Amino acid sequence: MARKTKENAEITRQRIITAAREVFAKRGVSRTTMEHIASHAEVTRGAIYWHFKNKIELFHAMRDQAILPLIDHIDAVALDEKSEDPLSTIEQFFTNTILTLMQDPATNQTYEIMMTKCEYVDEFAAVLQQIVTNCDYFTEKIRLLYEHAKQKDQLNAALDPAALAMDSHLFFSGLLHMWVKDTGRLGFREQALGLIKQHIALRRAC
Amino acid sequence: MARKTKENAEITRQRIITAAREVFAKRGVSRTTMEHIASHAEVTRGAIYWHFKNKIELFHAMRDQAILPLIDHIDAVALDEKSEDPLSTIEQFFTNTILTLMQDPATNQTYEIMMTKCEYVDEFAAVLQQIVTNCDYFTEKIRLLYEHAKQKDQLNAALDPAALAMDSHLFFSGLLHMWVKDTGRLGFREQALGLIKQHIALRRAC
DNA sequence: TATTATATACAAACATGATTGTATGTAAAA
DNA sequence: TTTTACATACAATCATGTTTGTATATAATA
């Protein structure tokens, strides 16, 4: 086949990533072969091996497209340190993340793959450690916001910001897992935003 | 090879399940071949195919050994409906589950496999639905306990038992996930019991 | 109680298909 | 003219399910 321009090559690359995501979601990462991805993207394996070294590099490319914006998002939230209402800032962050999953099927699908269609062994074991590291980073940001809330007396006095941040992180982690897993019935997804609201309300000074 | 007695056959069966668990944990369910399991169990594939139809049946046998006792546990807890202190009952349940994971490496390993080393597609997709169903069952039991706590005025008055139960379930789900994922550093596991304590404390009437 | 028949608990071999990485070819872009 | 962006062909391994073989436990029978 004829050579493509740089722009066309980039389009091909993106088509491959999209195809990989869709096939991963359907068959799981391990059971997905390069040929599956290739035919779904309407290219040959040669094209994939040109753009990516192997399956895990392709996986990382897919993951980055979903994760990096989220990291940016939490960084932006953390910048909002001077917020008048830190508890609402936390609530907003949770809510926005859920809204992203609702509105962006690609991101949602990538989360689904990472949580229920990937085995974290061998080359993928490192990914799990990155996830844990991200969790720590995330929890620390939340902790800072709880600190500010406490200084502003918006927090129930007896509560410890570090422990609260952990509790919130675990809540949110659980929420994302249920969000992803509960695809059949629509019940859970509808309550998600309400659960976030109540979770934060529980912390406000009473 | 010679035929074994029923007792010996049962021992072989259990050896296979144990071997499967250990190999699943090391290589992930998809990448594990019957031959891997066979050699680890010091039998041939013939023995495995005699006892189990295929890999997923073996997976289910392994899963049942970890899950069924837990179901029994929560059923026992739910029987404790007349408890004087329902919030402590919930706390006890969470704590006991974590203690089980600490003390029983086999159970812990099975959880690890189910949460990070299994792809829920094809034959395994149904397992995910079972997990969700179990979650619902679990959440309902917790909800009942919160109801009782509310009737006894042990609960912060403004709180809704159903939403609280969901929040607790998400917290606990997140806790188990972090417990399993955070194998490297020992930091998280040490705080787990403290986090449970605080989570429940947050709900007590103030 | 001794004998026989049958089901059991595996081991070993077989047939088949799938998947990976690489190596090579090629036409157009730069 | 030299890369680039792929397609195609190749080699080698690996995994699965099934089939066949067999020694023995166990139950039935005489």
Side-chain angles (χ1 to χ4, degrees), chain B residues 76-141:
Chain B
V77 164
L79 274 179
D80 197 20
E81 282 187 1
K82 308 297 171 198
S83 158
E84 280 311 300
D85 188 353
L87 291 183
S88 292
T89 302
I90 298 175
E91 185 177 331
Q92 275 292 316
F93 171 73
F94 289 160
T95 302
N96 285 340
T97 305
I98 290 294
L99 288 177
T100 299
L101 293 181
M102 284 176 60
Q103 289 157 11
D104 180 2
T107 300
N108 191 75
Q109 204 167 40
T110 301
Y111 269 76
E112 195 186 330
I113 292 162
M114 293 199 302
M115 293 199 273
T116 64
K117 277 117 186 240
C118 180
E119 297 176 4
Y120 294 98
V121 292
D122 301 335
E123 329 91 75
F124 288 90
V127 178
L128 199 59
Q129 289 317 304
Q130 289 173 26
I131 290 174
V132 171
T133 302
N134 273 343
C135 284
D136 286 349
Y137 186 71
F138 172 88
T139 306
E140 173 59 15
K141 299 285 183 188

Side-chain angles (χ1 to χ4, degrees), chain A residues 10-98:
Chain A
E10 182 52 35
I11 289 172
T12 299
R13 189 187 129 95
Q14 184 57 49
R15 280 168 60 89
I16 292 169
I17 294 175
T18 300
R21 172 166 46 74
E22 290 171 358
V23 182
F24 285 161
K26 189 185 176 192
R27 320 179 78 115
V29 176
S30 282
R31 296 181 177 201
T32 295
T33 71
M34 297 307 236
E35 178 57 31
H36 291 148
I37 299 171
S39 61
H40 192 64
E42 293 176 291
V43 296
T44 62
R45 285 192 306 127
I48 301 182
Y49 279 110
W50 170 256
H51 285 284
F52 306 95
K53 190 180 169 194
N54 48 29
K55 197 157 72 173
I56 199 179
E57 264 207 10
L58 184 43
F59 177 88
H60 272 114
M62 173 199 74
R63 178 168 182 260
D64 285 347
Q65 291 192 355
I67 295 293
L68 297 184
L70 201 73
I71 306 273
D72 289 348
H73 183 207
I74 193 157
D75 285 340
V77 165
L79 274 180
D80 198 20
E81 282 187 0
K82 308 298 170 193
S83 157
E84 280 310 298
D85 189 353
L87 291 183
S88 291
T89 303
I90 298 174
E91 185 178 332
Q92 276 292 315
F93 171 72
F94 289 159
T95 303
N96 286 339
T97 304
I98 290 294

Side-chain angles (χ1 to χ4, degrees), chain B residues 7-39:
Chain B
E7 294 75 30
N8 280 332
E10 181 51 35
I11 288 172
T12 299
R13 190 186 127 95
Q14 184 57 49
R15 280 169 58 90
I16 292 170
I17 294 175
T18 300
R21 173 166 46 74
E22 289 170 358
V23 182
F24 285 162
K26 188 185 176 192
R27 321 180 76 116
V29 176
S30 283
R31 297 182 176 200
T32 295
T33 71
M34 297 306 236
E35 178 56 32
H36 291 148
I37 299 171
S39 61

Side-chain angles (χ1 to χ4, degrees), chain B residues 54-65:
Chain B
N54 48 29
K55 199 157 69 174
I56 198 180
E57 264 207 9
L58 185 42
F59 177 89
H60 272 114
M62 173 199 74
R63 177 167 183 261
D64 285 347
Q65 292 192 355

Side-chain angles (χ1 to χ4, degrees), chain A:
Chain A
M1 187 204 247
R3 179 182 172 193
K4 309 274 185 66
T5 65
K6 278 187 184 174
E7 294 75 31
N8 280 333
E10 182 52 35
I11 289 172
T12 299
R13 189 187 129 95
Q14 184 57 49
R15 280 168 60 89
I16 292 169
I17 294 175
T18 300
R21 172 166 46 74
E22 290 171 358
V23 182
F24 285 161
K26 189 185 176 192
R27 320 179 78 115
V29 176
S30 282
R31 296 181 177 201
T32 295
T33 71
M34 297 307 236
E35 178 57 31
H36 291 148
I37 299 171
S39 61
H40 192 64
E42 293 176 291
V43 296
T44 62
R45 285 192 306 127
I48 301 182
Y49 279 110
W50 170 256
H51 285 284
F52 306 95
K53 190 180 169 194
N54 48 29
K55 197 157 72 173
I56 199 179
E57 264 207 10
L58 184 43
F59 177 88
H60 272 114
M62 173 199 74
R63 178 168 182 260
D64 285 347
Q65 291 192 355
I67 295 293
L68 297 184
L70 201 73
I71 306 273
D72 289 348
H73 183 207
I74 193 157
D75 285 340
V77 165
L79 274 180
D80 198 20
E81 282 187 0
K82 308 298 170 193
S83 157
E84 280 310 298
D85 189 353
L87 291 183
S88 291
T89 303
I90 298 174
E91 185 178 332
Q92 276 292 315
F93 171 72
F94 289 159
T95 303
N96 286 339
T97 304
I98 290 294
L99 288 177
T100 299
L101 293 181
M102 284 176 59
Q103 290 156 12
D104 179 4
T107 300
N108 191 74
Q109 205 168 37
T110 301
Y111 269 77
E112 195 184 329
I113 292 162
M114 293 198 302
M115 294 198 274
T116 63
K117 277 117 187 240
C118 180
E119 298 176 3
Y120 294 98
V121 292
D122 301 334
E123 330 89 76
F124 289 89
V127 178
L128 199 59
Q129 290 316 304
Q130 290 172 26
I131 290 174
V132 171
T133 301
N134 274 343
C135 285
D136 287 350
Y137 185 72
F138 172 87
T139 306
E140 173 59 14
K141 300 284 183 188
I142 302 283
R143 189 185 68 77
L144 286 175
L145 288 165
Y146 276 131
E147 291 276 13
H148 297 146
K150 185 160 196 171
Q151 282 159 19
K152 289 178 192 290
D153 290 319
Q154 290 170 2
L155 209 58
N156 203 320
L159 304 175
D160 169 39
L164 277 185
M166 256 300 177
D167 188 86
S168 286
H169 162 241
L170 297 179
F171 159 79
F172 193 58
S173 167
L175 186 72
L176 291 179
H177 273 275
M178 281 306 287
W179 176 273
V180 159
K181 288 174 188 159
D182 198 292
T183 51
R185 328 153 311 168
L186 295 176
F188 182 77
R189 295 198 172 187
E190 280 157 17
Q191 351 173 17
L193 296 181
L195 287 168
I196 292 172
K197 214 174 188 50
Q198 133 132 7
H199 179 84
I200 297 297
L202 200 56
R203 281 142 172 78
R204 292 192 194 274
C206 62

